[in-house]
Amino acid sequence: MKLGIVGLPNVGKSTLFNSLTKAGAESANYPFCTIDPNVGIVTVPDERLKLLADLYDSDKITPAVIEFVDIAGLVKGASKGEGLGNQFLSHIREVDAIVHVVRCFEDTNIIHVDGSINPLRDIETINLELIFSDIEILDRRIAKTSKGAKNDKTLAKELSLLERLKAYLEEGNLAKSFETEDDDEKAWLDEYNLLTYKPVIYAANVSEDELADDATNNEHVNKVREFSAANDSEVFVICAQIEQEIAELDDEEKAMFLEDLGLSESGLEKLIRASYHLLGLISYLTAGKQETRAWTITRGTKAPQAAGKIHSDFERGFIRAEVVNYQDLLDCGSYSAAKDKGLVGLEGKDYVVKDGDVILFRFNV
């Protein structure tokens, strides 16, 4: 999974990226200090892996990972060349979802490019830049498609979609709320890779003293929550400064620090939960002496396609999957004990993999 972190200058975006990835992207109190996208790989915390690894005495634990891309600070007019221009846009196009950091705290020591704190205005500023960029993409596609549309019904149908979609965006709407008329249109829309078609998670950046009660009394955060609910997005509250402090601690110190703040999880854990939920992702597990590992798949994936995540041969030569719930496996103390109790299922090609399934695939190529 690849997530792009965007936001206006000085909203806490690069501070958050640094803390999530410990990658050390430059962070300073002036716009455009992040010129090139910084990339960091983060492992997905999953306590099930260690428990299974202990059971199997595994030599190695391999968690799922998320790739974060920190995109250069945006300003109004970026799509027309303001600030750093639209260099950032090509990097956002590669991500699965956008994490949009919005500033919801007052601090006279940290300037805001528009002079005041207004997260909905900030969201609109960035959305407009994404819309303008998408319209450019559609214009190029329209020019290309219209050449053959007169003599080709399929191209004529696509041209109709492109023109309706462009008009929709020109009204200030996002592509993800556009309603397609049939499967063909849906397939084309998926193919265009539009920025405003991507899922969005809003990270409401607040001050330290508002974290414990999830910023319930912060009017800026509540406005972001309302906007997010109306736009089929996710939102979570974070304090980028606290995340930076947490990043320097080991697991035990981190747990104590969070407890002192009255928190049950870090911002990274909140973000991972939100992104898995938004993208409809789950993890199944494989375990053995050599390795215990988490594999990320889309909810609803069937056994052969899940096996293909490990290797294409597993999918091509799929015979069956031996499946046991990880908690049942731990409770029984061994795979053979779980099998004796009838808790290991022999599943075929139509089995839909569930979160927390521990699977042994049988295949023949």
Side-chain angles (χ1 to χ4, degrees), residues 276-331:
Y276 267 62
H277 182 255
L278 185 68
L279 295 170
L281 301 175
I282 61 170
S283 292
Y284 77 86
L285 313 165
T286 53
K289 178 68 179 87
Q290 193 175 349
E291 180 187 49
T292 290
R293 182 165 182 165
W295 303 87
T296 304
I297 56 171
T298 306
R299 190 179 299 279
T301 299
K302 292 185 177 179
Q305 288 68 49
K309 277 279 179 184
I310 300 174
H311 197 285
S312 57
D313 284 351
F314 281 35
E315 181 176 355
R316 194 155 51 92
F318 179 87
I319 299 171
R320 68 174 185 272
E322 297 179 17
V323 183
V324 58
N325 174 269
Y326 92 98
Q327 192 60 59
D328 287 341
L329 180 55
L330 293 173
D331 291 345

Short mmCIF file of all heavy atoms in Angstrom, two decimals, residues 276-331:
data_model
loop_
_atom_site.label_atom_id
_atom_site.label_comp_id
_atom_site.label_asym_id
_atom_site.label_seq_id
_atom_site.Cartn_x
_atom_site.Cartn_y
_atom_site.Cartn_z
N TYR A 276 -6.64 1.06 6.11
CA TYR A 276 -7.13 -0.30 5.84
C TYR A 276 -8.65 -0.29 5.66
O TYR A 276 -9.19 -0.93 4.76
CB TYR A 276 -6.76 -1.25 6.99
CG TYR A 276 -5.45 -1.99 6.77
CD1 TYR A 276 -4.25 -1.31 6.64
CD2 TYR A 276 -5.42 -3.38 6.66
CE1 TYR A 276 -3.05 -1.99 6.43
CE2 TYR A 276 -4.23 -4.07 6.45
CZ TYR A 276 -3.05 -3.35 6.33
OH TYR A 276 -1.88 -4.03 6.11
N HIS A 277 -9.34 0.48 6.52
CA HIS A 277 -10.80 0.56 6.45
C HIS A 277 -11.24 1.23 5.15
O HIS A 277 -12.13 0.74 4.44
CB HIS A 277 -11.33 1.33 7.67
CG HIS A 277 -12.83 1.41 7.71
ND1 HIS A 277 -13.52 2.57 7.39
CD2 HIS A 277 -13.78 0.49 8.00
CE1 HIS A 277 -14.82 2.34 7.50
NE2 HIS A 277 -15.00 1.10 7.86
N LEU A 278 -10.61 2.34 4.81
CA LEU A 278 -10.98 3.10 3.62
C LEU A 278 -10.75 2.30 2.34
O LEU A 278 -11.55 2.33 1.41
CB LEU A 278 -10.17 4.41 3.58
CG LEU A 278 -10.51 5.39 2.46
CD1 LEU A 278 -11.91 5.98 2.67
CD2 LEU A 278 -9.49 6.52 2.40
N LEU A 279 -9.63 1.57 2.30
CA LEU A 279 -9.28 0.82 1.08
C LEU A 279 -9.82 -0.61 1.10
O LEU A 279 -9.61 -1.36 0.15
CB LEU A 279 -7.75 0.80 0.91
CG LEU A 279 -7.10 2.17 0.66
CD1 LEU A 279 -5.58 2.07 0.75
CD2 LEU A 279 -7.52 2.73 -0.69
N GLY A 280 -10.52 -0.98 2.19
CA GLY A 280 -11.10 -2.32 2.26
C GLY A 280 -10.06 -3.42 2.31
O GLY A 280 -10.18 -4.43 1.62
N LEU A 281 -9.02 -3.22 3.11
CA LEU A 281 -7.92 -4.19 3.18
C LEU A 281 -7.98 -5.03 4.45
O LEU A 281 -8.47 -4.58 5.49
CB LEU A 281 -6.57 -3.46 3.14
CG LEU A 281 -6.31 -2.58 1.92
CD1 LEU A 281 -5.00 -1.84 2.08
CD2 LEU A 281 -6.29 -3.41 0.65
N ILE A 282 -7.49 -6.25 4.36
CA ILE A 282 -7.33 -7.13 5.52
C ILE A 282 -5.97 -7.84 5.39
O ILE A 282 -5.31 -7.73 4.36
CB ILE A 282 -8.46 -8.19 5.61
CG1 ILE A 282 -8.46 -9.09 4.36
CG2 ILE A 282 -9.82 -7.54 5.81
CD1 ILE A 282 -9.38 -10.30 4.45
N SER A 283 -5.59 -8.56 6.43
CA SER A 283 -4.34 -9.34 6.38
C SER A 283 -4.62 -10.80 6.70
O SER A 283 -5.32 -11.09 7.67
CB SER A 283 -3.32 -8.80 7.38
OG SER A 283 -2.87 -7.53 6.99
N TYR A 284 -4.08 -11.69 5.88
CA TYR A 284 -4.05 -13.10 6.28
C TYR A 284 -2.61 -13.44 6.63
O TYR A 284 -1.68 -12.67 6.32
CB TYR A 284 -4.63 -14.02 5.19
CG TYR A 284 -3.74 -14.30 4.00
CD1 TYR A 284 -2.81 -15.34 4.03
CD2 TYR A 284 -3.84 -13.55 2.83
CE1 TYR A 284 -2.00 -15.61 2.93
CE2 TYR A 284 -3.05 -13.80 1.73
CZ TYR A 284 -2.12 -14.83 1.78
OH TYR A 284 -1.33 -15.10 0.71
N LEU A 285 -2.40 -14.56 7.29
CA LEU A 285 -1.09 -14.88 7.85
C LEU A 285 -0.60 -16.24 7.37
O LEU A 285 -1.41 -17.15 7.12
CB LEU A 285 -1.17 -14.88 9.39
CG LEU A 285 -1.90 -13.67 10.01
CD1 LEU A 285 -2.24 -13.93 11.46
CD2 LEU A 285 -1.05 -12.41 9.88
N THR A 286 0.70 -16.36 7.22
CA THR A 286 1.32 -17.67 7.01
C THR A 286 2.35 -17.85 8.12
O THR A 286 2.97 -16.87 8.55
CB THR A 286 2.01 -17.76 5.63
OG1 THR A 286 2.92 -16.67 5.46
CG2 THR A 286 0.98 -17.72 4.50
N ALA A 287 2.50 -19.09 8.57
CA ALA A 287 3.40 -19.31 9.71
C ALA A 287 4.12 -20.64 9.56
O ALA A 287 3.57 -21.63 9.05
CB ALA A 287 2.60 -19.29 11.02
N GLY A 288 5.38 -20.65 10.00
CA GLY A 288 6.19 -21.86 9.97
C GLY A 288 7.53 -21.59 10.60
O GLY A 288 7.80 -20.48 11.07
N LYS A 289 8.40 -22.59 10.63
CA LYS A 289 9.72 -22.43 11.24
C LYS A 289 10.54 -21.36 10.52
O LYS A 289 11.22 -20.54 11.15
CB LYS A 289 10.46 -23.79 11.17
CG LYS A 289 11.89 -23.73 11.75
CD LYS A 289 11.89 -23.52 13.26
CE LYS A 289 13.29 -23.50 13.85
NZ LYS A 289 13.93 -22.18 13.84
N GLN A 290 10.44 -21.34 9.21
CA GLN A 290 11.26 -20.42 8.42
C GLN A 290 10.80 -18.96 8.58
O GLN A 290 11.62 -18.06 8.72
CB GLN A 290 11.19 -20.82 6.95
CG GLN A 290 12.23 -20.13 6.08
CD GLN A 290 12.20 -20.65 4.64
OE1 GLN A 290 11.55 -21.65 4.34
NE2 GLN A 290 12.91 -19.99 3.76
N GLU A 291 9.48 -18.75 8.55
CA GLU A 291 8.99 -17.37 8.58
C GLU A 291 7.52 -17.31 8.99
O GLU A 291 6.72 -18.17 8.62
CB GLU A 291 9.13 -16.76 7.16
CG GLU A 291 8.64 -15.33 7.03
CD GLU A 291 8.65 -14.83 5.58
OE1 GLU A 291 8.13 -15.57 4.71
OE2 GLU A 291 9.17 -13.74 5.33
N THR A 292 7.18 -16.28 9.76
CA THR A 292 5.77 -15.92 10.01
C THR A 292 5.56 -14.57 9.34
O THR A 292 6.34 -13.64 9.54
CB THR A 292 5.47 -15.83 11.51
OG1 THR A 292 5.51 -17.16 12.07
CG2 THR A 292 4.10 -15.25 11.77
N ARG A 293 4.48 -14.47 8.54
CA ARG A 293 4.34 -13.29 7.68
C ARG A 293 2.88 -12.86 7.53
O ARG A 293 1.97 -13.69 7.52
CB ARG A 293 4.94 -13.61 6.31
CG ARG A 293 4.90 -12.46 5.33
CD ARG A 293 5.81 -12.73 4.16
NE ARG A 293 5.83 -11.61 3.22
CZ ARG A 293 6.73 -11.45 2.27
NH1 ARG A 293 7.71 -12.34 2.13
NH2 ARG A 293 6.68 -10.42 1.46
N ALA A 294 2.68 -11.55 7.39
CA ALA A 294 1.36 -10.99 7.10
C ALA A 294 1.29 -10.61 5.62
O ALA A 294 2.25 -10.05 5.08
CB ALA A 294 1.11 -9.76 7.96
N TRP A 295 0.15 -10.91 5.00
CA TRP A 295 -0.06 -10.59 3.59
C TRP A 295 -1.30 -9.72 3.48
O TRP A 295 -2.36 -10.08 3.96
CB TRP A 295 -0.26 -11.86 2.76
CG TRP A 295 0.88 -12.83 2.89
CD1 TRP A 295 1.04 -13.80 3.83
CD2 TRP A 295 2.03 -12.92 2.03
NE1 TRP A 295 2.21 -14.49 3.63
CE2 TRP A 295 2.85 -13.96 2.52
CE3 TRP A 295 2.45 -12.21 0.90
CZ2 TRP A 295 4.05 -14.31 1.92
CZ3 TRP A 295 3.65 -12.57 0.30
CH2 TRP A 295 4.43 -13.61 0.81
N THR A 296 -1.17 -8.56 2.84
CA THR A 296 -2.30 -7.63 2.72
C THR A 296 -3.06 -7.90 1.43
O THR A 296 -2.49 -7.96 0.35
CB THR A 296 -1.80 -6.18 2.72
OG1 THR A 296 -1.04 -5.95 3.90
CG2 THR A 296 -2.96 -5.20 2.69
N ILE A 297 -4.39 -8.07 1.58
CA ILE A 297 -5.26 -8.31 0.42
C ILE A 297 -6.53 -7.46 0.57
O ILE A 297 -6.82 -6.93 1.65
CB ILE A 297 -5.66 -9.80 0.30
CG1 ILE A 297 -6.32 -10.29 1.60
CG2 ILE A 297 -4.47 -10.66 -0.07
CD1 ILE A 297 -6.95 -11.67 1.50
N THR A 298 -7.27 -7.36 -0.50
CA THR A 298 -8.55 -6.65 -0.45
C THR A 298 -9.62 -7.56 0.13
O THR A 298 -9.66 -8.76 -0.17
CB THR A 298 -8.98 -6.23 -1.88
OG1 THR A 298 -7.90 -5.49 -2.48
CG2 THR A 298 -10.22 -5.38 -1.87
N ARG A 299 -10.46 -7.01 1.00
CA ARG A 299 -11.57 -7.78 1.58
C ARG A 299 -12.40 -8.38 0.44
O ARG A 299 -12.72 -7.69 -0.54
CB ARG A 299 -12.44 -6.86 2.44
CG ARG A 299 -13.47 -7.59 3.28
CD ARG A 299 -14.26 -6.61 4.13
NE ARG A 299 -13.42 -5.88 5.07
CZ ARG A 299 -13.00 -6.37 6.23
NH1 ARG A 299 -13.32 -7.59 6.59
NH2 ARG A 299 -12.23 -5.64 7.02
N GLY A 300 -12.75 -9.65 0.55
CA GLY A 300 -13.52 -10.31 -0.49
C GLY A 300 -12.67 -11.14 -1.45
O GLY A 300 -13.20 -11.81 -2.33
N THR A 301 -11.35 -11.12 -1.26
CA THR A 301 -10.44 -11.89 -2.13
C THR A 301 -10.62 -13.38 -1.88
O THR A 301 -10.70 -13.83 -0.73
CB THR A 301 -8.98 -11.50 -1.86
OG1 THR A 301 -8.80 -10.12 -2.16
CG2 THR A 301 -8.02 -12.31 -2.72
N LYS A 302 -10.67 -14.16 -2.96
CA LYS A 302 -10.81 -15.61 -2.83
C LYS A 302 -9.44 -16.27 -2.70
O LYS A 302 -8.40 -15.68 -3.04
CB LYS A 302 -11.57 -16.18 -4.03
CG LYS A 302 -13.03 -15.72 -4.03
CD LYS A 302 -13.84 -16.37 -5.14
CE LYS A 302 -15.30 -15.94 -5.05
NZ LYS A 302 -16.13 -16.53 -6.13
N ALA A 303 -9.45 -17.51 -2.21
CA ALA A 303 -8.22 -18.21 -1.85
C ALA A 303 -7.16 -18.25 -2.96
O ALA A 303 -5.98 -17.96 -2.69
CB ALA A 303 -8.54 -19.63 -1.37
N PRO A 304 -7.50 -18.59 -4.22
CA PRO A 304 -6.44 -18.66 -5.25
C PRO A 304 -5.74 -17.31 -5.47
O PRO A 304 -4.52 -17.25 -5.63
CB PRO A 304 -7.19 -19.10 -6.50
CG PRO A 304 -8.41 -19.78 -6.00
CD PRO A 304 -8.80 -19.04 -4.76
N GLN A 305 -6.53 -16.21 -5.46
CA GLN A 305 -5.95 -14.88 -5.67
C GLN A 305 -5.10 -14.46 -4.47
O GLN A 305 -4.06 -13.81 -4.61
CB GLN A 305 -7.04 -13.84 -5.93
CG GLN A 305 -7.72 -13.98 -7.30
CD GLN A 305 -8.57 -15.23 -7.45
OE1 GLN A 305 -9.39 -15.53 -6.57
NE2 GLN A 305 -8.38 -15.97 -8.53
N ALA A 306 -5.54 -14.86 -3.26
CA ALA A 306 -4.75 -14.58 -2.06
C ALA A 306 -3.42 -15.34 -2.14
O ALA A 306 -2.37 -14.81 -1.78
CB ALA A 306 -5.52 -15.00 -0.81
N ALA A 307 -3.48 -16.59 -2.64
CA ALA A 307 -2.26 -17.39 -2.81
C ALA A 307 -1.31 -16.74 -3.80
O ALA A 307 -0.09 -16.78 -3.66
CB ALA A 307 -2.63 -18.80 -3.27
N GLY A 308 -1.89 -16.08 -4.82
CA GLY A 308 -1.10 -15.40 -5.83
C GLY A 308 -0.27 -14.26 -5.29
O GLY A 308 0.70 -13.83 -5.91
N LYS A 309 -0.66 -13.74 -4.12
CA LYS A 309 0.13 -12.69 -3.46
C LYS A 309 1.51 -13.22 -3.08
O LYS A 309 2.49 -12.49 -3.06
CB LYS A 309 -0.58 -12.20 -2.19
CG LYS A 309 -1.64 -11.16 -2.44
CD LYS A 309 -1.01 -9.81 -2.59
CE LYS A 309 -2.04 -8.73 -2.87
NZ LYS A 309 -1.41 -7.44 -3.10
N ILE A 310 1.56 -14.51 -2.74
CA ILE A 310 2.83 -15.14 -2.35
C ILE A 310 3.66 -15.42 -3.59
O ILE A 310 4.84 -15.07 -3.66
CB ILE A 310 2.57 -16.43 -1.54
CG1 ILE A 310 1.76 -16.12 -0.28
CG2 ILE A 310 3.89 -17.12 -1.19
CD1 ILE A 310 1.33 -17.35 0.51
N HIS A 311 3.03 -16.07 -4.57
CA HIS A 311 3.72 -16.38 -5.83
C HIS A 311 2.67 -16.73 -6.88
O HIS A 311 1.67 -17.38 -6.56
CB HIS A 311 4.69 -17.55 -5.65
CG HIS A 311 5.71 -17.67 -6.74
ND1 HIS A 311 5.39 -18.14 -7.99
CD2 HIS A 311 7.03 -17.35 -6.77
CE1 HIS A 311 6.48 -18.13 -8.76
NE2 HIS A 311 7.48 -17.65 -8.04
N SER A 312 2.91 -16.31 -8.11
CA SER A 312 1.93 -16.58 -9.18
C SER A 312 1.70 -18.08 -9.37
O SER A 312 0.61 -18.51 -9.74
CB SER A 312 2.39 -15.95 -10.49
OG SER A 312 3.68 -16.42 -10.85
N ASP A 313 2.74 -18.91 -9.09
CA ASP A 313 2.58 -20.37 -9.21
C ASP A 313 1.54 -20.89 -8.24
O ASP A 313 0.84 -21.86 -8.53
CB ASP A 313 3.92 -21.08 -8.95
CG ASP A 313 4.88 -20.97 -10.13
OD1 ASP A 313 4.44 -20.49 -11.19
OD2 ASP A 313 6.06 -21.34 -9.97
N PHE A 314 1.46 -20.27 -7.06
CA PHE A 314 0.49 -20.70 -6.04
C PHE A 314 -0.94 -20.53 -6.56
O PHE A 314 -1.81 -21.36 -6.29
CB PHE A 314 0.65 -19.89 -4.75
CG PHE A 314 1.81 -20.32 -3.89
CD1 PHE A 314 2.99 -20.78 -4.44
CD2 PHE A 314 1.71 -20.26 -2.50
CE1 PHE A 314 4.05 -21.17 -3.65
CE2 PHE A 314 2.77 -20.66 -1.69
CZ PHE A 314 3.94 -21.11 -2.28
N GLU A 315 -1.16 -19.44 -7.31
CA GLU A 315 -2.50 -19.20 -7.86
C GLU A 315 -2.75 -20.10 -9.06
O GLU A 315 -3.82 -20.70 -9.19
CB GLU A 315 -2.63 -17.73 -8.26
CG GLU A 315 -4.00 -17.39 -8.82
CD GLU A 315 -4.17 -15.90 -9.12
OE1 GLU A 315 -3.25 -15.10 -8.83
OE2 GLU A 315 -5.23 -15.53 -9.68
N ARG A 316 -1.75 -20.21 -9.91
CA ARG A 316 -1.91 -21.01 -11.14
C ARG A 316 -2.15 -22.48 -10.85
O ARG A 316 -2.97 -23.12 -11.50
CB ARG A 316 -0.64 -20.83 -11.99
CG ARG A 316 -0.74 -21.30 -13.42
CD ARG A 316 0.26 -20.56 -14.29
NE ARG A 316 1.62 -20.59 -13.74
CZ ARG A 316 2.51 -21.52 -14.04
NH1 ARG A 316 2.19 -22.51 -14.87
NH2 ARG A 316 3.72 -21.48 -13.52
N GLY A 317 -1.44 -22.99 -9.85
CA GLY A 317 -1.56 -24.42 -9.55
C GLY A 317 -2.37 -24.72 -8.30
O GLY A 317 -2.24 -25.80 -7.70
N PHE A 318 -3.22 -23.78 -7.91
CA PHE A 318 -3.98 -23.90 -6.65
C PHE A 318 -4.78 -25.20 -6.59
O PHE A 318 -5.51 -25.55 -7.53
CB PHE A 318 -4.93 -22.70 -6.51
CG PHE A 318 -5.78 -22.74 -5.26
CD1 PHE A 318 -5.30 -22.21 -4.07
CD2 PHE A 318 -7.04 -23.31 -5.28
CE1 PHE A 318 -6.08 -22.24 -2.91
CE2 PHE A 318 -7.83 -23.34 -4.14
CZ PHE A 318 -7.35 -22.81 -2.95
N ILE A 319 -4.63 -25.93 -5.49
CA ILE A 319 -5.42 -27.14 -5.25
C ILE A 319 -6.42 -26.87 -4.14
O ILE A 319 -7.63 -27.02 -4.31
CB ILE A 319 -4.52 -28.34 -4.87
CG1 ILE A 319 -3.55 -28.66 -6.01
CG2 ILE A 319 -5.37 -29.56 -4.53
CD1 ILE A 319 -2.48 -29.68 -5.65
N ARG A 320 -5.91 -26.48 -2.97
CA ARG A 320 -6.79 -26.16 -1.85
C ARG A 320 -6.02 -25.31 -0.83
O ARG A 320 -4.80 -25.18 -0.91
CB ARG A 320 -7.32 -27.42 -1.18
CG ARG A 320 -6.27 -28.25 -0.44
CD ARG A 320 -6.90 -29.42 0.33
NE ARG A 320 -5.90 -30.13 1.11
CZ ARG A 320 -5.16 -31.14 0.65
NH1 ARG A 320 -5.31 -31.54 -0.60
NH2 ARG A 320 -4.28 -31.73 1.44
N ALA A 321 -6.78 -24.76 0.12
CA ALA A 321 -6.18 -24.00 1.21
C ALA A 321 -6.58 -24.65 2.54
O ALA A 321 -7.75 -24.98 2.74
CB ALA A 321 -6.68 -22.56 1.18
N GLU A 322 -5.59 -24.84 3.40
CA GLU A 322 -5.87 -25.33 4.75
C GLU A 322 -5.90 -24.11 5.66
O GLU A 322 -4.90 -23.41 5.82
CB GLU A 322 -4.80 -26.33 5.19
CG GLU A 322 -4.79 -27.58 4.31
CD GLU A 322 -3.70 -28.58 4.71
OE1 GLU A 322 -3.17 -28.47 5.83
OE2 GLU A 322 -3.40 -29.47 3.88
N VAL A 323 -7.07 -23.84 6.25
CA VAL A 323 -7.31 -22.57 6.93
C VAL A 323 -7.70 -22.77 8.39
O VAL A 323 -8.57 -23.59 8.70
CB VAL A 323 -8.44 -21.77 6.22
CG1 VAL A 323 -8.63 -20.41 6.88
CG2 VAL A 323 -8.15 -21.61 4.73
N VAL A 324 -7.06 -21.99 9.27
CA VAL A 324 -7.44 -21.99 10.69
C VAL A 324 -7.36 -20.54 11.19
O VAL A 324 -6.47 -19.78 10.79
CB VAL A 324 -6.51 -22.92 11.53
CG1 VAL A 324 -5.05 -22.52 11.41
CG2 VAL A 324 -6.93 -22.94 13.00
N ASN A 325 -8.33 -20.15 12.02
CA ASN A 325 -8.28 -18.81 12.60
C ASN A 325 -7.10 -18.71 13.56
O ASN A 325 -6.83 -19.65 14.32
CB ASN A 325 -9.60 -18.55 13.35
CG ASN A 325 -9.57 -17.23 14.11
OD1 ASN A 325 -9.19 -17.17 15.27
ND2 ASN A 325 -9.93 -16.17 13.43
N TYR A 326 -6.40 -17.57 13.53
CA TYR A 326 -5.15 -17.46 14.32
C TYR A 326 -5.41 -17.64 15.81
O TYR A 326 -4.61 -18.25 16.52
CB TYR A 326 -4.46 -16.13 14.02
CG TYR A 326 -4.84 -15.01 14.94
CD1 TYR A 326 -4.03 -14.67 16.02
CD2 TYR A 326 -6.02 -14.30 14.75
CE1 TYR A 326 -4.39 -13.64 16.88
CE2 TYR A 326 -6.38 -13.28 15.61
CZ TYR A 326 -5.57 -12.96 16.67
OH TYR A 326 -5.93 -11.95 17.53
N GLN A 327 -6.57 -17.14 16.31
CA GLN A 327 -6.86 -17.25 17.75
C GLN A 327 -7.13 -18.71 18.13
O GLN A 327 -6.69 -19.19 19.18
CB GLN A 327 -8.06 -16.39 18.13
CG GLN A 327 -8.26 -16.23 19.64
CD GLN A 327 -7.06 -15.59 20.32
OE1 GLN A 327 -6.68 -14.47 19.99
NE2 GLN A 327 -6.44 -16.29 21.27
N ASP A 328 -7.84 -19.43 17.25
CA ASP A 328 -8.08 -20.86 17.48
C ASP A 328 -6.75 -21.61 17.52
O ASP A 328 -6.55 -22.50 18.36
CB ASP A 328 -8.96 -21.45 16.37
CG ASP A 328 -10.41 -20.99 16.47
OD1 ASP A 328 -10.81 -20.53 17.56
OD2 ASP A 328 -11.13 -21.09 15.45
N LEU A 329 -5.85 -21.25 16.62
CA LEU A 329 -4.54 -21.89 16.56
C LEU A 329 -3.75 -21.65 17.84
O LEU A 329 -3.17 -22.58 18.42
CB LEU A 329 -3.77 -21.36 15.34
CG LEU A 329 -2.38 -21.92 15.08
CD1 LEU A 329 -2.39 -23.44 14.97
CD2 LEU A 329 -1.79 -21.31 13.81
N LEU A 330 -3.76 -20.41 18.31
CA LEU A 330 -3.04 -20.07 19.55
C LEU A 330 -3.67 -20.78 20.75
O LEU A 330 -2.96 -21.30 21.62
CB LEU A 330 -3.06 -18.55 19.78
CG LEU A 330 -2.25 -17.71 18.79
CD1 LEU A 330 -2.50 -16.23 19.04
CD2 LEU A 330 -0.76 -18.01 18.88
N ASP A 331 -5.00 -20.82 20.80
CA ASP A 331 -5.70 -21.46 21.92
C ASP A 331 -5.40 -22.96 21.99
O ASP A 331 -5.27 -23.53 23.08
CB ASP A 331 -7.21 -21.24 21.81
CG ASP A 331 -7.61 -19.79 22.04
OD1 ASP A 331 -6.77 -19.03 22.57
OD2 ASP A 331 -8.75 -19.41 21.69
#
